[in-house]
Amino acid sequence: MTAADRGARAALSRVVEPGDEVCGRWIGEVGAPEAVRRLHADRGRPRGMTDRRWAGLRARAERADPERDLALARDAGVRFVCPGEAEWPAQLDDLGDARPVGLWVRGRAGLRLWALRSVAVVGARACTEYGAHMAAALGAGLAERGWVVVSGGAYGIDGAAHRGALGAGGATVAVLACGVDRPYPRGHAQLITRIAEQGLVVGELPPGEHPTPSRFVLRNRVIAALTRGTVVVEAAYRSGALVTARAAQRLGRFTMGVPGPATSALSAGVHELLRGEAVLVSDAADVAELVGDMGELAPDRRGPVLPRDLLEPGAGRVLAALPARDPAGAEEIARRAATSTDDAVGRLYELRALGFVERHGDGWKLTRQATTPVRGDRERC
């Protein structure tokens, strides 16, 4: 990457809006330095571009000062990473003509290496307490498993996912829709500063640029492309998080959803994803199993283990033949267990020694132990 190409791309990051496929195709055809020259010379515009749009690009190009932007970035501890450089995440090239012209990066870690093992956790800004809890748990769980948690730095699910990863001492990346030197939203200035210290803050826009509604939407394609998969925790039918998930699907990435109450509007979008190609996940182990390498398997899910589950089949059938409350005789128990009376009596004395049944005159009755879960069982609710 030459200094001329770097400077040209820095200039174009201020001229070209994120995700502009027409300009992206043009830059790919003529190269960044030539694109800047043509803008200043008012010649060789992209095919099909209107006079009005070309004039707008030229006006921006006249005001662009890449040397100043690069100097401001250096002073703020920000670097400009271009396609083809060692730190550039190659998976962003999957965006084709919508690929960023470059990325402004704040933080010490290497973006390319972090992106290789990363997962996006996104969702509603106005999330529920349940959604915030699930996002934080996912962020912490993924970080503990060595995954980088990527999100947009916004209120709600994004912030919870970032905090979960940071709280676990893990790695997290915030992809912003503005200049990385100006944290947005302002209420997350402290959080984004902490992310820059412990992780990375990334954006397509040069220093000082403000977010707009369209930039938020287009930022989501970078989150989707940068990661192996996207988890949506809570999202209504009209949600930027769903834009991220659909972008991930178009790019061939994994899409996952955390289910919520069927009555919640904030879960409606997630449930719609789950009716399609998305995979239901409930914790970080589920996510890691889907997007991770061979052998990163989630634990088997099962209910509480009862002591009776550990009995051999014959004794188990006799135990199951006892009525819930009243004592029963050996012949009745044998008939219900489809065995002989002698076998049933032998099994009943064995079960009494284990504390499952007790004798009442000529009858037999279940003890409380027979229906109590094993103490300390990790799967117990």
Side-chain angles (χ1 to χ4, degrees):
M1 177 65 61
T2 66
D5 195 55
R6 173 182 294 278
R9 286 186 173 274
L12 289 169
S13 74
R14 189 170 288 282
V15 173
V16 178
E17 279 295 306
D20 188 329
E21 295 188 48
V22 172
C23 287
R25 188 178 307 111
W26 181 55
I27 294 167
E29 290 171 355
V30 304
E34 178 62 20
V36 172
R37 282 192 290 269
R38 292 186 182 189
L39 281 164
H40 287 295
D42 192 14
R43 63 178 178 82
R45 74 178 70 176
R47 292 187 301 273
M49 181 169 288
T50 64
D51 292 343
R52 182 176 179 181
R53 189 175 176 198
W54 178 249
L57 291 176
R58 292 197 66 244
R60 284 188 175 189
E62 290 298 327
R63 294 193 299 270
D65 187 347
E67 292 183 3
R68 177 177 176 276
D69 284 340
L70 290 169
L72 286 172
R74 283 193 296 272
D75 292 343
V78 176
R79 60 191 179 277
F80 187 56
V81 179
C82 299
E85 291 186 326
E87 195 180 354
W88 181 259
Q91 57 266 47
L92 290 179
D93 298 339
D94 293 346
L95 291 168
D97 295 329
R99 180 185 71 174
V101 298
L103 288 175
W104 302 86
V105 181
R106 180 181 168 199
R108 292 185 294 272
L111 177 60
R112 184 184 68 83
L113 289 176
W114 273 27
L116 290 174
R117 190 175 167 84
S118 64
V119 177
V121 180
V122 297
R125 286 175 172 80
C127 66
T128 66
E129 185 177 347
Y130 160 78
H133 169 77
M134 292 302 298
L138 281 168
L142 287 167
E144 288 168 354
R145 287 167 171 78
W147 287 89
V148 177
V149 177
V150 179
S151 198
Y155 293 130
I157 297 301
D158 289 15
H162 288 307
R163 290 189 180 93
L166 292 170
T172 189
V173 177
V175 181
L176 305 186
C178 57
V180 297
D181 62 327
R182 293 196 175 184
Y184 186 90
R186 291 184 180 179
H188 272 181
Q190 185 175 358
L191 172 63
I192 292 172
T193 298
R194 187 181 173 197
I195 293 172
E197 294 171 350
Q198 190 170 321
L200 290 171
V201 179
V202 177
E204 297 178 72
L205 295 159
E209 280 292 316
H210 297 282
T212 64
S214 63
R215 288 173 173 177
F216 280 119
V217 173
L218 291 163
R219 176 272 311 271
N220 294 336
R221 82 195 194 288
V222 176
I223 295 176
L226 198 62
T227 54
R228 287 200 193 179
T230 294
V231 186
V232 183
V233 178
E234 282 186 327
Y237 281 122
R238 290 175 58 85
S239 169
L242 297 186
V243 173
T244 308
R246 290 173 185 133
Q249 289 176 339
R250 288 194 299 272
L251 292 165
R253 309 294 197 262
F254 295 102
T255 52
M256 295 152 278
V258 176
T263 54
S264 172
L266 284 174
S267 293
V270 180
H271 294 167
E272 189 66 22
L273 280 177
L274 292 173
R275 293 183 65 217
E277 298 177 8
V279 177
L280 186 151
V281 293
S282 57
D283 58 20
D286 288 344
V287 177
E289 180 179 62
L290 186 63
V291 304
D293 299 322
M294 187 178 296
E296 293 190 57
L297 301 178
D300 291 335
R301 314 291 180 177
R302 58 188 178 88
V305 177
L306 299 176
R308 64 195 304 164
D309 297 332
L310 307 177
L311 296 172
E312 64 95 12
R317 284 193 297 272
V318 170
L319 184 63
L322 270 78
R325 293 184 177 84
D326 300 328
E331 292 184 0
E332 181 184 354
I333 294 170
R335 185 170 63 255
R336 290 181 177 180
T339 187
S340 67
T341 301
D342 290 342
D343 180 62
V345 170
R347 300 289 189 184
L348 286 166
Y349 277 104
E350 176 186 343
L351 291 168
R352 187 177 72 168
L354 294 172
F356 288 99
V357 301
E358 55 192 13
R359 188 165 184 177
H360 288 262
D362 293 332
W364 297 86
K365 184 180 179 181
L366 291 173
T367 63
R368 179 173 296 180
Q369 177 183 326
T371 56
T372 302
V374 174
R375 289 183 178 179
D377 178 19
R378 293 184 179 181
E379 297 296 329
R380 185 175 178 181
C381 295

